[in-house]
Amino acid sequence: MGITLKTPEDIEKMRVAGRLAAEQLKFIAPYVKPGVTTDELNQILHDYTVNEQQAIPAPLNYHGFPKSICTSVNNQVCHGIPGPKKLKNGDIINIDVTIIKDGYHGDTSKMFCVGKPSILAERLCRVSHECLKIGIELVKPGIHLGDIGHAIQQHAEANHFSVVREYCGHGIGKVFHEEPQVLHYGQAGTGIMLEPGMTFTIEPMINAGKRHVKLLPDQWTVVTKDRSLSAQYEHTILVTDTGHEVLTLLPGDEI
Ligand code: MF3
Ligand code: CO
Ligand code: CO
C-alpha cells in the first residue's frame, strides 16, 4: 500500500476522528480513581464511543484484541487488556483509545496518575510527555523520520530513561496501522522525508529501567523485562504545507 497522502476531504474526516478520540480521554479522566477496574473504564468508554459519538472502537476485535481500549498499568508498556483488577493509589495507567468515524481513525493515549504518584512515576510521565512534544515540534515537510526518533531518544536517555524499540508509531487513515513506521529512536537524517498530507502517530514508550520488554501469556500485554515502570503518550499528527497539525487535540488545548 505504501504511504498514503491524504486529500483535503480525507483530512477533514481525520480531524473529526481525532477530535472524538481526544474527547474520550477527557471524558474518562474523572473515572480514573482508586477502586475502579480497568474493565469498568473499558465499558464506560465503549458505551460513550458507540452511543454518544456514533463511532466504532477500533481495538475491539482488531487482530483478536478482546476489548475497546488498551489500559497499561505501571510496568505494562502497551496493549494491556482491561480486566477485573482495581486501580490503587500510586498506580500510573496509560489509556490508549482509537476510534473509527466515517471510515477514518483517530489514535491517542495519555498517562493518568491514580491518587498520588511516586516522584519517579511523576518524572517518568513528565519526560515521556516531553518526548512526544519534542517529536511533534519537529514535524514539517522536508525533515526525515529519523530526526524525530533521534530527538526522542536523546531526551529520554539524557534523563536516564530508555526507549522501547519493539513498538513504534505508524501511518494512520482509513487503515489503523499503515506505513510509515515511526521509530522513537535512531539517527537524524535517516528514513523517509516528510511530505504534506502524511498522517501518522508518534507514541514513544519510555521505561524507567532498561528498554527490554516481554509479552505476557495473554499474547497482548507488553511489560518491561526488569519490571520497571513504563509510560507512553500518543497523538495523531498531520504534516501540513508549513509544519504540522495535531489532530487529536481538543479546540483550545495544547499538547
Ligand atoms: N492504539 C494502539 C496504537 O497506538 C494499538 C492498539 S492495537 C490493539 O497503535 F489491538 F491492542 F488494540
Ligand atoms: Co497508535
Ligand atoms: Co494508540
Side-chain angles (χ1 to χ4, degrees):
M1 186 71 219
I3 298 176
T4 59
L5 294 180
K6 275 68 182 181
T7 66
E9 294 73 32
D10 295 328
I11 290 167
E12 205 35 65
K13 291 179 181 174
M14 293 286 293
R15 285 196 181 103
V16 174
R19 182 169 42 75
L20 292 178
E23 276 171 5
Q24 296 201 355
L25 293 183
K26 185 169 184 182
F27 179 76
I28 201 65
Y31 297 96
V32 186
K33 289 274 139 61
V36 76
T37 69
T38 48
D39 249 343
E40 287 164 345
L41 298 175
N42 175 73
Q43 192 62 51
I44 293 164
L45 276 179
H46 177 91
D47 293 345
Y48 183 71
T49 309
V50 172
N51 301 328
E52 306 295 323
Q53 299 186 317
Q54 279 85 45
I56 300 167
L60 187 59
N61 300 321
Y62 180 77
H63 293 284
F65 191 77
K67 299 284 175 166
S68 297
I69 62 171
C70 297
T71 52
S72 304
V73 180
N74 296 336
N75 63 319
Q76 297 179 348
V77 173
C78 63
H79 305 164
I81 304 173
K85 203 167 161 195
K86 286 185 162 79
L87 294 179
K88 58 181 192 311
N89 184 44
D91 284 346
I92 57 170
I93 176 175
N94 173 277
I95 300 183
D96 190 340
V97 298
T98 312
I99 68 125
I100 308 171
K101 181 71 172 181
D102 211 0
Y104 289 79
H105 290 75
D107 187 6
T108 184
S109 82
K110 66 179 280 192
M111 300 302 298
F112 295 86
C113 294
V114 182
K116 192 167 164 43
S118 70
I119 287 175
L120 173 65
E122 205 159 34
R123 197 167 71 83
L124 179 67
C125 292
R126 176 177 54 76
V127 170
S128 304
H129 188 253
E130 288 165 358
C131 284
L132 173 58
K133 195 172 151 111
I134 286 166
I136 291 173
E137 281 169 350
L138 288 171
V139 174
K140 64 176 182 190
I143 73 147
H144 292 264
L145 267 187
D147 301 346
I148 298 172
H150 177 74
I152 290 172
Q153 183 179 10
Q154 284 282 311
H155 188 64
E157 292 178 358
N159 284 280
H160 309 288
F161 295 142
S162 65
V163 178
V164 171
R165 307 270 175 114
E166 288 81 356
Y167 302 88
C168 57
H170 49 92
I172 183 168
K174 285 185 186 156
V175 176
F176 191 167
H177 295 104
E178 60 182 30
E179 285 178 48
Q181 292 196 15
V182 181
L183 305 185
H184 304 113
Y185 63 94
Q187 300 298 324
T190 63
I192 59 142
M193 203 183 264
L194 300 189
E195 291 175 46
M198 291 178 177
T199 50
F200 55 82
T201 71
I202 305 178
E203 48 181 302
M205 284 141 272
I206 308 297
N207 296 347
K210 293 204 166 54
R211 68 176 177 82
H212 304 94
V213 298
K214 66 176 193 195
L215 191 61
L216 291 189
D218 66 21
Q219 293 300 313
W220 280 105
T221 311
V222 178
V223 299
T224 55
K225 224 175 200 170
D226 63 9
R227 298 201 171 85
S228 66
L229 291 175
S230 187
Q232 177 180 31
Y233 288 79
E234 173 175 26
H235 275 305
T236 300
I237 318 293
L238 164 71
V239 184
T240 64
D241 290 333
T242 53
H244 60 267
E245 183 178 325
V246 182
L247 299 176
T248 41
L249 273 182
L250 294 177
D253 275 8
E254 293 171 31
I255 311 164

